[in-house]
Amino acid sequence: MNALWWTLAWRNLWRNKRRTVITAGSAFFAVFFAVVMQSVTYGVFGKMIEDMARLSTGHVQVQDSLYLAEPTPDHSLELDAARLLEAQKIDGAMAVMPRLEAIVLASSGDRSTPVQVIGIEPAAEDSVNRFTERIRTGGQYFGEPRADLPEAVVGAALGDQLGLSPGDTLFTIGQGYHGVPAYGRFRVAGLLELGNPELSKRLVYVQLADAQHAFRMEGRVTGVVCMADPAADLEDVQAELAALFPNQAARLWSDLMPDLEQTLEGKLAGNYIILFILYLIIGFGLFSTVLMMMSERQKEFGILISVGTGRRTLAAMVYLEVALLGLLGVGLGSLAVWPFLEYFDANPVQLRGDLRELHEQYGLEPILPVMIEPFIFFNQAAVVLGMALTVGLYPLRVLKRLDILKASRS
Amino acid sequence: MNVNPASRLVLLLLLLAQVLTLSAQTAREYLERAEEAMRGSELRAEMTMTIVRPTWEREMSLTSWALGADRAMMVITAPARDAGTVFLKRDREVWNWVPQLERVIKMPPSMMAQSWMGTDFSNDDLVRESSVLRDYIHAIVGEEDVMGRPCAVIELTPLPDAPVVWGKVRMWVDRTDFLQLKVESYDEFGDLVQTLETLEIGELGGRTLPVAVQVVPADEPGHRTEMRYDALDFSPNLDEGFFTVSQMQDL
Amino acid sequence: MMLLSIAYRNIWRNPVRSLVVIGSMVLGIWGGTFIVGFFSGMTQQQLEDMLRQEVSHVQIHGQGFLDQFDPTDTLQATGALTAALALDERVESFSARLVGVGLIASARLTTGGMVVGIDADAESAVTQLGDRVVEGALFATDRPNQVVIGTRLAERLHVGVKNKIVVTLPNREGEMVSTALRVAGIYRERAAAKAGARIYMPARDLAGLMGVGAARHEVAVFARDLSVVQGLAADYAGQFGGDLVRPWNAISPELRLISESYDQYVLIIIAIILLALLFGIVNTMLMAVLERTRELGVLMAVGLTRVKVFWMILLETVMIGSIGGPLGLLVAWGTIEWTGVNGIDLSRYAESLEAYGLSAHVYPTLDTGGYVEILIMVVAASLIAALFPALHAIRLKPMDAIRSQ
């Protein structure tokens, strides 16, 4: 094999422009479709994880190692400002937020109900969850912290249940660190519209410092929640957090939301089937074009062999042609699909109707996301190219058995 | 970590000392006298509780009043931060007065599942209705010395339908003063779950009784709760009207 | 008329080519249809799994019950409600329950949880509780005060079958009452069960304990088909206005979120598949025409008008479509029916699914409407596909065509 063969193969391709265009086009569209499909799939799954992570657990969360089995304030960890700052500097960490969560009894007037108190850093959480946009009119998000009157932002459904309005007082009674009684008195700053009715009925947000004081665990938190950059490798972030908190456990969202992971895994499995069928269709399309190409050029092959071109040589040349067609199509396809996806990344398809409403209710973006990652392109290109190269083997078989006389007369 | 002690048995222990005569020979008689004593009795006690864990320790002082088995009031006197907190039990309901919040809270079932103030005692035990006499079959199974005193070893087996979590309870009762010196509680598998044992016997309020006891969960090394009585008054002249919600706030 | 027969014979003059085109059509249509059926089956299944085990189709509660779980907030007319449900043809099964929030205690642990009074058969029909009992049985005998608890609770309480637990909860009068229950069975809970423990005991025993008689707090309904659920909920909301009637999508917006966003994404995938198919057809037909350039040139030279050539090619493509299309749909129907019964085993790809109570088998399903839709799309696609080669054919210049190749 040498440069001559390649040149010949290339020129052969362009002898019949239309056929070349069509066959390469086959490969082109194959890659195009496959990449778009995978891109949308990963985009949607990624967003599902992202949305769920933002609503509750974060992408990675540092907890005391016993907390997962028994989520009580006793299983908390120490956190000082310096370590928090270090955590925020981690490559790939978009936001790092400390939280103190505990289940207590909330009471107002003569009504009481169990609730989940979450001590947060208001600014950090707001940047991730956009709470300020979801405060019911008449109330507000946290103002300046005041030692004499700690504020609470209460789930709207909970507020309704207890008959709370901004300005009312909410009492919390529970157990803090080491079983000490933990009492809190808070002024309701506002009611928060949380899409999920269960959360709305249960959550009370307060300032972290106030929670730490109420539960008598100054300097301690129950979780350090990390939201990662979209492009970050979660396991890397996890490893870095684990290194920063050596005596605790850095848990991935999948550890904290196994249900979601299972659901997605199930869907991914289904996706493989779909991909498989797509490849079947594409593969067959490629095969059929090559098949027809062979039958069309029978005469030409017959003549070439009869004037002395070795069958093997001819076979190699034809194979090269198919390979080139594949490369051409795959290469162009990959190049073309990229700006196409970039466009939809910048201008995503908007969700409609009920689904849109639901997303907005939860504070989630109502779009159809695409994921643009090199691995998607490489994988699909590799598969399609592989198919082309395999399909290219068929001509070899044909040529081996070509009946010269019959061919020349076709 | 929420282990059920027999806190009813603790009360029992305090009041068993009322049984003075020694003619009771059978287990049932021992306990009958004890229950009888409890029903008509009243008590005021000052005590200190120490909670011991592998990595920390905490102390609490409280004063408590009890009338029979169904009325009890407890106020925390130390540490300062918790001082003034009051618990009231009437029959099977529990209230909590929190001075910092200036509020009375009635404890709902969900809160009762937690341990009482972080000790090895459970809130729910305060309301669970069970009677040592009615819910168990009793038998004396042996003799043993505890703290140098000869004791009858009584084995209590709960009736199948009794609302009692134990599989078996063993009590060591001193033959002379009828002091309950040790109680071992077992689950239905026959495993020891917790032990209530006497640390010190002394005289308070004119009686000889265990003045320091501790509850030790069997499976948790380094965990225990210790109770020490600093003062006891067996005739504080209490009446029903003392055990009210409004009274809580005046303590 | 003659054009038709010419077109038909043309098809079979080059059997290889035609078979290739038909083949790719059949494959493509089979693929597309099967995918739709597969998706349908998968989504419905996952939805049903979750609906079965947790939410049910419709839940009806006594007004205000869910706020404080006050034992007195029973359904307004339990008897009338259950009677109506029993007669309703849309209802597959329903379970009337009593719910108490209280303490569950063993020798090792006291914890809070829900005590649910059920009728074992009804409950199993609605939530398949019976299937999920891994140890012991669901109220095997008529002995009173049996209870079935979850595996995790059993572990935390350190109890097994035949052991005793003590339950304390408020009765109608607000007094705390206790009772001893024997563990008759242990059931497998779902993976990340949200709130605390949930234990099941015979409703009549709990009713006796709580003093509520025949009244119940909630009813979970499972309908024969997902499509009737909204109507069902609306009807009962109207008829039993004093109670809180909620269909599953109101109870669990997340379920809706997950399933609906997936549906929209599926539409896109199907569009892509059909595009791929379309392209395949155009591709092959175009090549077919190219191959016949000379022959077409000759035909036009000897007098076949361009219009006739156009129609001829068009007819050829349509005919191939009418063979390939229905054939593809038939094969698809066959595979969907077969896999619909036998299921596709995905457990290789998602081993943990089964452990979490989700089925790793997919049962594709497609209703007649679905097939019809696809048929229409295929016909439309074939027509469009046919245009390109036909248009190309009529633009040939006869003389060049004859001399080509």
Side-chain angles (χ1 to χ4, degrees), chain A residues 57 60-64 67 72-73 75-79 84 96-102 118-121 125 208 212 217 220-226 245 248-249 256:
Chain A
T57 64
V60 186
Q61 196 179 131
V62 179
Q63 306 173 332
D64 181 79
Y67 189 77
T72 64
H75 299 140
S76 51
L77 59 132
E78 269 181 40
L79 182 69
L84 183 62
V96 179
M97 309 172 287
R99 283 193 195 149
L100 203 170
E101 292 186 23
I118 309 186
I120 58 172
E121 299 247 345
E125 297 271 347
L208 182 63
Q212 287 171 324
M217 36 199 290
R220 301 187 76 90
V221 297
T222 55
V224 180
V225 173
C226 173
F245 294 90
Q248 281 82 32
L256 303 169

mmCIF file of all heavy atoms in Angstrom, chain A residues 57 60-64 67 72-73 75-79 84 96-102 118-121 125 208 212 217 220-226 245 248-249 256:
data_model
loop_
_atom_site.group_PDB
_atom_site.id
_atom_site.type_symbol
_atom_site.label_atom_id
_atom_site.label_comp_id
_atom_site.label_asym_id
_atom_site.label_seq_id
_atom_site.Cartn_x
_atom_site.Cartn_y
_atom_site.Cartn_z
ATOM 1 N N THR A 57 -29.967 17.275 47.521
ATOM 2 C CA THR A 57 -28.737 16.765 48.112
ATOM 3 C C THR A 57 -27.455 17.401 47.614
ATOM 4 O O THR A 57 -26.402 17.192 48.196
ATOM 5 C CB THR A 57 -28.601 15.267 47.817
ATOM 6 O OG1 THR A 57 -28.479 15.120 46.405
ATOM 7 C CG2 THR A 57 -29.814 14.503 48.278
ATOM 8 N N VAL A 60 -22.350 16.455 45.456
ATOM 9 C CA VAL A 60 -21.554 15.711 46.425
ATOM 10 C C VAL A 60 -21.802 16.346 47.787
ATOM 11 O O VAL A 60 -21.910 17.562 47.895
ATOM 12 C CB VAL A 60 -20.039 15.800 46.115
ATOM 13 C CG1 VAL A 60 -19.263 14.899 47.063
ATOM 14 C CG2 VAL A 60 -19.765 15.430 44.680
ATOM 15 N N GLN A 61 -21.915 15.544 48.789
ATOM 16 C CA GLN A 61 -22.175 16.102 50.113
ATOM 17 C C GLN A 61 -21.261 15.440 51.127
ATOM 18 O O GLN A 61 -21.147 14.209 51.148
ATOM 19 C CB GLN A 61 -23.630 15.877 50.498
ATOM 20 C CG GLN A 61 -24.067 16.733 51.657
ATOM 21 C CD GLN A 61 -25.542 16.521 52.014
ATOM 22 O OE1 GLN A 61 -25.857 16.320 53.158
ATOM 23 N NE2 GLN A 61 -26.430 16.567 51.043
ATOM 24 N N VAL A 62 -20.629 16.250 51.938
ATOM 25 C CA VAL A 62 -19.781 15.705 52.990
ATOM 26 C C VAL A 62 -20.636 15.565 54.244
ATOM 27 O O VAL A 62 -21.290 16.504 54.663
ATOM 28 C CB VAL A 62 -18.587 16.637 53.281
ATOM 29 C CG1 VAL A 62 -17.743 16.062 54.403
ATOM 30 C CG2 VAL A 62 -17.752 16.824 52.032
ATOM 31 N N GLN A 63 -20.627 14.377 54.802
ATOM 32 C CA GLN A 63 -21.389 14.151 56.025
ATOM 33 C C GLN A 63 -20.554 13.344 56.984
ATOM 34 O O GLN A 63 -19.581 12.714 56.591
ATOM 35 C CB GLN A 63 -22.640 13.315 55.723
ATOM 36 C CG GLN A 63 -23.537 13.843 54.662
ATOM 37 C CD GLN A 63 -24.633 12.850 54.347
ATOM 38 O OE1 GLN A 63 -24.463 11.656 54.503
ATOM 39 N NE2 GLN A 63 -25.763 13.347 53.907
ATOM 40 N N ASP A 64 -20.971 13.345 58.218
ATOM 41 C CA ASP A 64 -20.363 12.421 59.159
ATOM 42 C C ASP A 64 -20.671 11.006 58.667
ATOM 43 O O ASP A 64 -21.739 10.741 58.133
ATOM 44 C CB ASP A 64 -20.970 12.646 60.552
ATOM 45 C CG ASP A 64 -20.367 11.720 61.582
ATOM 46 O OD1 ASP A 64 -19.254 12.010 62.037
ATOM 47 O OD2 ASP A 64 -21.004 10.704 61.886
ATOM 48 N N TYR A 67 -23.965 9.544 59.495
ATOM 49 C CA TYR A 67 -25.166 10.332 59.270
ATOM 50 C C TYR A 67 -26.136 9.674 58.314
ATOM 51 O O TYR A 67 -27.349 9.745 58.480
ATOM 52 C CB TYR A 67 -24.764 11.707 58.736
ATOM 53 C CG TYR A 67 -25.900 12.695 58.675
ATOM 54 C CD1 TYR A 67 -26.358 13.326 59.817
ATOM 55 C CD2 TYR A 67 -26.511 12.994 57.460
ATOM 56 C CE1 TYR A 67 -27.397 14.233 59.756
ATOM 57 C CE2 TYR A 67 -27.549 13.900 57.388
ATOM 58 C CZ TYR A 67 -27.988 14.525 58.544
ATOM 59 O OH TYR A 67 -29.017 15.419 58.485
ATOM 60 N N THR A 72 -29.042 12.285 62.586
ATOM 61 C CA THR A 72 -29.338 13.103 63.758
ATOM 62 C C THR A 72 -28.198 14.084 64.001
ATOM 63 O O THR A 72 -27.091 13.863 63.528
ATOM 64 C CB THR A 72 -29.494 12.229 65.013
ATOM 65 O OG1 THR A 72 -28.234 11.607 65.278
ATOM 66 C CG2 THR A 72 -30.543 11.164 64.820
ATOM 67 N N PRO A 73 -28.469 15.160 64.762
ATOM 68 C CA PRO A 73 -27.409 16.152 65.008
ATOM 69 C C PRO A 73 -26.184 15.547 65.681
ATOM 70 O O PRO A 73 -25.087 16.094 65.572
ATOM 71 C CB PRO A 73 -28.076 17.171 65.935
ATOM 72 C CG PRO A 73 -29.518 17.028 65.682
ATOM 73 C CD PRO A 73 -29.747 15.600 65.336
ATOM 74 N N HIS A 75 -24.634 13.073 64.766
ATOM 75 C CA HIS A 75 -23.720 12.678 63.708
ATOM 76 C C HIS A 75 -23.427 13.883 62.835
ATOM 77 O O HIS A 75 -23.889 13.985 61.699
ATOM 78 C CB HIS A 75 -24.318 11.535 62.883
ATOM 79 C CG HIS A 75 -24.567 10.310 63.710
ATOM 80 N ND1 HIS A 75 -25.707 9.540 63.554
ATOM 81 C CD2 HIS A 75 -23.838 9.732 64.674
ATOM 82 C CE1 HIS A 75 -25.643 8.534 64.416
ATOM 83 N NE2 HIS A 75 -24.529 8.629 65.105
ATOM 84 N N SER A 76 -22.699 14.805 63.428
ATOM 85 C CA SER A 76 -22.405 16.041 62.705
ATOM 86 C C SER A 76 -20.897 16.182 62.557
ATOM 87 O O SER A 76 -20.131 15.383 63.096
ATOM 88 C CB SER A 76 -22.967 17.231 63.468
ATOM 89 O OG SER A 76 -22.540 17.177 64.815
ATOM 90 N N LEU A 77 -20.491 17.194 61.828
ATOM 91 C CA LEU A 77 -19.051 17.400 61.665
ATOM 92 C C LEU A 77 -18.687 18.853 61.937
ATOM 93 O O LEU A 77 -19.509 19.760 61.815
ATOM 94 C CB LEU A 77 -18.605 17.004 60.252
ATOM 95 C CG LEU A 77 -19.255 17.725 59.098
ATOM 96 C CD1 LEU A 77 -18.208 18.212 58.119
ATOM 97 C CD2 LEU A 77 -20.186 16.773 58.377
ATOM 98 N N GLU A 78 -17.446 19.049 62.292
ATOM 99 C CA GLU A 78 -16.981 20.404 62.560
ATOM 100 C C GLU A 78 -16.669 21.101 61.260
ATOM 101 O O GLU A 78 -16.103 20.502 60.349
ATOM 102 C CB GLU A 78 -15.703 20.349 63.390
ATOM 103 C CG GLU A 78 -15.960 20.394 64.879
ATOM 104 C CD GLU A 78 -14.655 20.364 65.643
ATOM 105 O OE1 GLU A 78 -13.702 21.023 65.185
ATOM 106 O OE2 GLU A 78 -14.605 19.663 66.660
ATOM 107 N N LEU A 79 -17.008 22.356 61.203
ATOM 108 C CA LEU A 79 -16.684 23.111 59.994
ATOM 109 C C LEU A 79 -16.315 24.521 60.383
ATOM 110 O O LEU A 79 -17.092 25.224 61.013
ATOM 111 C CB LEU A 79 -17.899 23.140 59.055
ATOM 112 C CG LEU A 79 -17.657 23.866 57.736
ATOM 113 C CD1 LEU A 79 -16.694 23.082 56.871
ATOM 114 C CD2 LEU A 79 -18.961 24.082 57.003
ATOM 115 N N LEU A 84 -14.122 25.749 54.908
ATOM 116 C CA LEU A 84 -15.174 26.020 53.930
ATOM 117 C C LEU A 84 -14.575 26.730 52.727
ATOM 118 O O LEU A 84 -14.877 26.408 51.573
ATOM 119 C CB LEU A 84 -16.275 26.880 54.576
ATOM 120 C CG LEU A 84 -17.467 27.175 53.695
ATOM 121 C CD1 LEU A 84 -18.170 25.888 53.305
ATOM 122 C CD2 LEU A 84 -18.447 28.097 54.412
ATOM 123 N N VAL A 96 -20.359 25.717 47.357
ATOM 124 C CA VAL A 96 -20.261 24.830 48.509
ATOM 125 C C VAL A 96 -21.040 25.461 49.648
ATOM 126 O O VAL A 96 -20.783 26.600 50.026
ATOM 127 C CB VAL A 96 -18.788 24.627 48.935
ATOM 128 C CG1 VAL A 96 -18.726 23.721 50.148
ATOM 129 C CG2 VAL A 96 -17.984 24.026 47.808
ATOM 130 N N MET A 97 -22.022 24.734 50.161
ATOM 131 C CA MET A 97 -22.903 25.337 51.152
ATOM 132 C C MET A 97 -22.998 24.444 52.383
ATOM 133 O O MET A 97 -23.323 23.268 52.269
ATOM 134 C CB MET A 97 -24.299 25.490 50.553
ATOM 135 C CG MET A 97 -24.254 26.191 49.211
ATOM 136 S SD MET A 97 -25.827 26.197 48.373
ATOM 137 C CE MET A 97 -25.966 24.510 47.864
ATOM 138 N N PRO A 98 -22.746 25.010 53.542
ATOM 139 C CA PRO A 98 -22.910 24.220 54.761
ATOM 140 C C PRO A 98 -24.377 24.186 55.169
ATOM 141 O O PRO A 98 -25.111 25.149 54.943
ATOM 142 C CB PRO A 98 -22.084 25.006 55.789
ATOM 143 C CG PRO A 98 -22.102 26.412 55.296
ATOM 144 C CD PRO A 98 -22.295 26.379 53.805
ATOM 145 N N ARG A 99 -24.781 23.064 55.761
ATOM 146 C CA ARG A 99 -26.174 22.971 56.208
ATOM 147 C C ARG A 99 -26.253 22.238 57.528
ATOM 148 O O ARG A 99 -25.467 21.347 57.816
ATOM 149 C CB ARG A 99 -27.007 22.181 55.198
ATOM 150 C CG ARG A 99 -27.356 22.966 53.976
ATOM 151 C CD ARG A 99 -28.422 22.263 53.194
ATOM 152 N NE ARG A 99 -28.511 22.810 51.856
ATOM 153 C CZ ARG A 99 -28.864 22.115 50.787
ATOM 154 N NH1 ARG A 99 -29.163 20.846 50.913
ATOM 155 N NH2 ARG A 99 -28.929 22.695 49.622
ATOM 156 N N LEU A 100 -27.254 22.625 58.301
ATOM 157 C CA LEU A 100 -27.524 21.915 59.538
ATOM 158 C C LEU A 100 -28.986 21.502 59.478
ATOM 159 O O LEU A 100 -29.878 22.341 59.465
ATOM 160 C CB LEU A 100 -27.296 22.842 60.736
ATOM 161 C CG LEU A 100 -27.012 22.185 62.068
ATOM 162 C CD1 LEU A 100 -26.573 23.229 63.059
ATOM 163 C CD2 LEU A 100 -28.202 21.448 62.627
ATOM 164 N N GLU A 101 -29.230 20.209 59.436
ATOM 165 C CA GLU A 101 -30.609 19.743 59.318
ATOM 166 C C GLU A 101 -31.006 18.980 60.553
ATOM 167 O O GLU A 101 -30.233 18.182 61.078
ATOM 168 C CB GLU A 101 -30.738 18.805 58.114
ATOM 169 C CG GLU A 101 -30.566 19.508 56.802
ATOM 170 C CD GLU A 101 -30.849 18.589 55.627
ATOM 171 O OE1 GLU A 101 -31.576 17.587 55.794
ATOM 172 O OE2 GLU A 101 -30.311 18.878 54.552
ATOM 173 N N ALA A 102 -32.238 19.187 60.990
ATOM 174 C CA ALA A 102 -32.726 18.418 62.137
ATOM 175 C C ALA A 102 -34.244 18.380 62.104
ATOM 176 O O ALA A 102 -34.888 19.299 61.603
ATOM 177 C CB ALA A 102 -32.251 19.043 63.443
ATOM 178 N N ILE A 118 -33.685 23.541 58.489
ATOM 179 C CA ILE A 118 -32.419 23.525 57.765
ATOM 180 C C ILE A 118 -31.723 24.858 57.983
ATOM 181 O O ILE A 118 -32.226 25.902 57.559
ATOM 182 C CB ILE A 118 -32.621 23.302 56.255
ATOM 183 C CG1 ILE A 118 -33.517 22.090 56.030
ATOM 184 C CG2 ILE A 118 -31.278 23.083 55.586
ATOM 185 C CD1 ILE A 118 -33.652 21.697 54.582
ATOM 186 N N GLY A 119 -30.588 24.828 58.652
ATOM 187 C CA GLY A 119 -29.797 26.035 58.835
ATOM 188 C C GLY A 119 -28.937 26.231 57.605
ATOM 189 O O GLY A 119 -28.205 25.331 57.216
ATOM 190 N N ILE A 120 -29.042 27.389 56.968
ATOM 191 C CA ILE A 120 -28.331 27.621 55.707
ATOM 192 C C ILE A 120 -27.597 28.949 55.707
ATOM 193 O O ILE A 120 -27.815 29.804 56.554
ATOM 194 C CB ILE A 120 -29.300 27.649 54.497
ATOM 195 C CG1 ILE A 120 -30.363 28.738 54.704
ATOM 196 C CG2 ILE A 120 -29.935 26.297 54.302
ATOM 197 C CD1 ILE A 120 -31.235 28.972 53.493
ATOM 198 N N GLU A 121 -26.740 29.086 54.691
ATOM 199 C CA GLU A 121 -26.153 30.386 54.405
ATOM 200 C C GLU A 121 -27.023 31.006 53.318
ATOM 201 O O GLU A 121 -26.982 30.570 52.169
ATOM 202 C CB GLU A 121 -24.734 30.217 53.863
ATOM 203 C CG GLU A 121 -23.804 29.540 54.826
ATOM 204 C CD GLU A 121 -22.722 30.487 55.297
ATOM 205 O OE1 GLU A 121 -22.557 31.537 54.650
ATOM 206 O OE2 GLU A 121 -22.066 30.187 56.302
ATOM 207 N N GLU A 125 -27.271 29.717 49.210
ATOM 208 C CA GLU A 125 -28.390 28.875 48.790
ATOM 209 C C GLU A 125 -29.239 29.595 47.755
ATOM 210 O O GLU A 125 -29.762 28.989 46.829
ATOM 211 C CB GLU A 125 -29.259 28.514 49.997
ATOM 212 C CG GLU A 125 -28.537 27.697 51.032
ATOM 213 C CD GLU A 125 -28.648 26.200 50.784
ATOM 214 O OE1 GLU A 125 -29.477 25.787 49.960
ATOM 215 O OE2 GLU A 125 -27.893 25.450 51.413
ATOM 216 N N LEU A 208 -27.775 29.613 59.366
ATOM 217 C CA LEU A 208 -26.946 28.555 59.928
ATOM 218 C C LEU A 208 -26.527 28.871 61.358
ATOM 219 O O LEU A 208 -26.612 28.037 62.256
ATOM 220 C CB LEU A 208 -25.713 28.347 59.047
ATOM 221 C CG LEU A 208 -24.779 27.229 59.504
ATOM 222 C CD1 LEU A 208 -25.494 25.891 59.442
ATOM 223 C CD2 LEU A 208 -23.518 27.185 58.653
ATOM 224 N N GLN A 212 -27.229 26.624 64.618
ATOM 225 C CA GLN A 212 -26.143 26.095 65.441
ATOM 226 C C GLN A 212 -26.329 26.500 66.895
ATOM 227 O O GLN A 212 -26.069 25.736 67.809
ATOM 228 C CB GLN A 212 -24.791 26.602 64.930
ATOM 229 C CG GLN A 212 -24.368 25.941 63.643
ATOM 230 C CD GLN A 212 -23.145 26.597 63.043
ATOM 231 O OE1 GLN A 212 -22.972 27.811 63.121
ATOM 232 N NE2 GLN A 212 -22.296 25.790 62.424
ATOM 233 N N MET A 217 -24.776 23.490 68.846
ATOM 234 C CA MET A 217 -23.657 22.884 68.151
ATOM 235 C C MET A 217 -22.941 23.934 67.337
ATOM 236 O O MET A 217 -22.874 23.851 66.117
ATOM 237 C CB MET A 217 -24.095 21.699 67.294
ATOM 238 C CG MET A 217 -25.428 21.834 66.629
ATOM 239 S SD MET A 217 -26.099 20.236 66.110
ATOM 240 C CE MET A 217 -25.016 19.781 64.782
ATOM 241 N N ARG A 220 -20.565 23.400 64.149
ATOM 242 C CA ARG A 220 -20.823 22.076 63.572
ATOM 243 C C ARG A 220 -21.939 22.151 62.546
ATOM 244 O O ARG A 220 -22.821 22.993 62.630
ATOM 245 C CB ARG A 220 -21.225 21.091 64.672
ATOM 246 C CG ARG A 220 -20.195 20.911 65.747
ATOM 247 C CD ARG A 220 -20.590 19.801 66.688
ATOM 248 N NE ARG A 220 -20.371 18.492 66.104
ATOM 249 C CZ ARG A 220 -19.237 17.805 66.208
ATOM 250 N NH1 ARG A 220 -18.226 18.319 66.879
ATOM 251 N NH2 ARG A 220 -19.126 16.616 65.654
ATOM 252 N N VAL A 221 -21.887 21.245 61.602
ATOM 253 C CA VAL A 221 -22.952 21.164 60.604
ATOM 254 C C VAL A 221 -23.261 19.694 60.356
ATOM 255 O O VAL A 221 -22.475 18.823 60.713
ATOM 256 C CB VAL A 221 -22.525 21.821 59.257
ATOM 257 C CG1 VAL A 221 -22.270 23.293 59.437
ATOM 258 C CG2 VAL A 221 -21.304 21.127 58.692
ATOM 259 N N THR A 222 -24.416 19.437 59.743
ATOM 260 C CA THR A 222 -24.733 18.043 59.428
ATOM 261 C C THR A 222 -24.328 17.688 58.008
ATOM 262 O O THR A 222 -24.209 16.522 57.663
ATOM 263 C CB THR A 222 -26.234 17.736 59.592
ATOM 264 O OG1 THR A 222 -26.979 18.655 58.802
ATOM 265 C CG2 THR A 222 -26.647 17.834 61.037
ATOM 266 N N GLY A 223 -24.110 18.695 57.180
ATOM 267 C CA GLY A 223 -23.713 18.375 55.811
ATOM 268 C C GLY A 223 -23.059 19.560 55.129
ATOM 269 O O GLY A 223 -23.401 20.702 55.397
ATOM 270 N N VAL A 224 -22.094 19.276 54.284
ATOM 271 C CA VAL A 224 -21.504 20.310 53.445
ATOM 272 C C VAL A 224 -21.878 19.953 52.018
ATOM 273 O O VAL A 224 -21.428 18.949 51.471
ATOM 274 C CB VAL A 224 -19.969 20.347 53.602
ATOM 275 C CG1 VAL A 224 -19.383 21.440 52.727
ATOM 276 C CG2 VAL A 224 -19.590 20.573 55.047
ATOM 277 N N VAL A 225 -22.753 20.764 51.448
ATOM 278 C CA VAL A 225 -23.342 20.430 50.151
ATOM 279 C C VAL A 225 -22.568 21.112 49.038
ATOM 280 O O VAL A 225 -22.348 22.308 49.074
ATOM 281 C CB VAL A 225 -24.815 20.888 50.113
ATOM 282 C CG1 VAL A 225 -25.387 20.708 48.728
ATOM 283 C CG2 VAL A 225 -25.611 20.109 51.129
ATOM 284 N N CYS A 226 -22.189 20.320 48.047
ATOM 285 C CA CYS A 226 -21.412 20.892 46.949
ATOM 286 C C CYS A 226 -22.150 20.718 45.633
ATOM 287 O O CYS A 226 -22.516 19.604 45.257
ATOM 288 C CB CYS A 226 -20.044 20.206 46.888
ATOM 289 S SG CYS A 226 -19.070 20.693 45.463
ATOM 290 N N PHE A 245 -11.787 16.510 54.045
ATOM 291 C CA PHE A 245 -12.488 16.093 55.253
ATOM 292 C C PHE A 245 -12.173 14.627 55.507
ATOM 293 O O PHE A 245 -12.998 13.749 55.288
ATOM 294 C CB PHE A 245 -14.005 16.259 55.087
ATOM 295 C CG PHE A 245 -14.450 17.676 54.947
ATOM 296 C CD1 PHE A 245 -14.534 18.265 53.686
ATOM 297 C CD2 PHE A 245 -14.786 18.421 56.053
ATOM 298 C CE1 PHE A 245 -14.939 19.577 53.549
ATOM 299 C CE2 PHE A 245 -15.207 19.738 55.925
ATOM 300 C CZ PHE A 245 -15.279 20.314 54.669
ATOM 301 N N GLN A 248 -14.569 12.208 57.550
ATOM 302 C CA GLN A 248 -15.975 12.115 57.218
ATOM 303 C C GLN A 248 -16.153 11.410 55.889
ATOM 304 O O GLN A 248 -15.200 10.935 55.287
ATOM 305 C CB GLN A 248 -16.588 13.527 57.133
ATOM 306 C CG GLN A 248 -16.906 14.125 58.476
ATOM 307 C CD GLN A 248 -15.703 14.740 59.127
ATOM 308 O OE1 GLN A 248 -14.830 15.239 58.435
ATOM 309 N NE2 GLN A 248 -15.649 14.702 60.438
ATOM 310 N N ALA A 249 -17.378 11.338 55.453
ATOM 311 C CA ALA A 249 -17.680 10.665 54.187
ATOM 312 C C ALA A 249 -18.153 11.688 53.181
ATOM 313 O O ALA A 249 -18.993 12.525 53.484
ATOM 314 C CB ALA A 249 -18.750 9.608 54.406
ATOM 315 N N LEU A 256 -27.062 9.305 47.889
ATOM 316 C CA LEU A 256 -28.105 9.940 48.674
ATOM 317 C C LEU A 256 -29.476 9.822 48.020
ATOM 318 O O LEU A 256 -30.486 10.005 48.685
ATOM 319 C CB LEU A 256 -27.765 11.426 48.868
ATOM 320 C CG LEU A 256 -26.397 11.658 49.526
ATOM 321 C CD1 LEU A 256 -26.011 13.115 49.431
ATOM 322 C CD2 LEU A 256 -26.439 11.223 50.968
#
